[in-house]
Amino acid sequence: MQLIKNLKWRYATKKYDTSKKVSSEDLELVKEAIQLSATSYGLQLFKVLIIEDQIIREKLKPASWGQSQITDASHLLVFCGYNDVTDNDVETYINLKALSQDVEVASLKGTSDFMKMKMKEKSAEEKQTWTAKQTYIALSNALNACAELELDSTPMEGFDPESYSEILGLKEKGLNASVVLAIGYRSEEDDTQNAKKIRKPLEAIFEQI
């Protein structure tokens, strides 16, 4: 299974080679893997900001505990969940579903009404938590895609969401940063690449009932 081999190869890269850049072709494949991620109801209530601007990344670094990956990696992906979920979000999905599957929008009214009802049952805080969870599914797909392409990656939660929101203007976009992914190529000076991967044994993780 190639996936297992890929996952054994990858690690959370600590130091990147600033001279190497991810090709536009590989970046498009990572984007497509994110696009194809499973999401609750298929709504895809997230947006991924791809930060290449070095000035912006220098501003984000202090808000990220000073971690060098923020500025040194080839690309920085900021996964953001929607702050709110509205009827319009549901209708956008329903219209896309009707178009993609060549069915009448009217035939999906029951599905649309059910989804709108479930969204209204959630508090504002529950909606933010729910959409943030969706970004982690997309993050997982991105990590797997990077591993297959032999792109190094670093998933990062060590940042201040409020500072990110201010720097990137996320509130105006109705978004909230939940997790960050640096991608690029490891530096030869990154000693952690030679460290043995630490994982619990299978029997400590799985219980068959």
Side-chain angles (χ1 to χ4, degrees), residues 48-176:
V48 182
L49 307 183
I50 302 175
I51 315 296
E52 296 184 72
D53 187 298
Q54 203 62 29
I55 294 176
I56 293 177
R57 288 166 67 172
E58 289 290 349
K59 291 180 180 178
L60 292 173
K61 187 175 180 179
S64 312
W65 304 356
Q67 297 175 90
S68 64
Q69 298 97 320
I70 297 296
T71 52
D72 294 352
S74 173
H75 292 73
L76 190 70
L77 279 61
V78 181
F79 289 75
C80 304
Y82 286 18
N83 283 333
D84 193 15
V85 186
T86 66
D87 285 354
N88 185 61
D89 294 315
V90 174
E91 289 165 7
T92 296
Y93 167 77
I94 291 296
N95 289 332
L96 182 58
K97 181 178 177 68
L99 180 64
S100 300
Q101 299 182 349
D102 195 23
V103 299
E104 295 292 330
V105 172
S107 70
L108 301 173
K109 185 178 186 305
T111 301
S112 178
D113 290 345
F114 173 78
M115 292 168 68
K116 290 176 181 178
M117 178 188 69
K118 299 306 291 183
M119 297 306 108
K120 287 180 172 60
E121 290 177 357
K122 298 180 183 293
S123 67
E125 183 177 352
E126 287 173 332
K127 287 178 182 177
Q128 282 199 13
T129 300
W130 182 58
T131 61
K133 287 179 178 180
Q134 307 304 305
T135 67
Y136 283 83
I137 302 173
L139 170 69
S140 180
N141 266 22
L143 289 170
N144 292 338
C146 285
E148 181 168 337
L149 294 166
E150 292 195 349
L151 299 176
D152 289 295
S153 61
T154 314
M156 308 168 76
E157 288 184 311
F159 66 93
D160 177 31
E162 286 297 323
S163 296
Y164 265 60
S165 182
E166 182 178 345
I167 294 168
L168 300 173
L170 298 183
K171 287 183 180 178
E172 294 82 357
K173 298 175 182 178
L175 301 171
N176 187 53

Side-chain angles (χ1 to χ4, degrees), residues 30-38 44 46:
V30 174
K31 288 164 62 178
E32 189 171 0
I34 293 170
Q35 179 199 30
L36 292 170
S37 298
Q44 295 181 291
F46 65 84

Side-chain angles (χ1 to χ4, degrees), residues 10-29:
R10 74 156 301 278
Y11 74 107
T13 304
K14 303 300 182 187
K15 186 176 180 59
Y16 283 88
D17 185 336
T18 58
S19 69
K20 295 182 179 180
K21 296 297 178 184
V22 173
S23 70
S24 58
E25 292 80 9
D26 282 351
L27 182 61
E28 286 302 313
L29 290 171

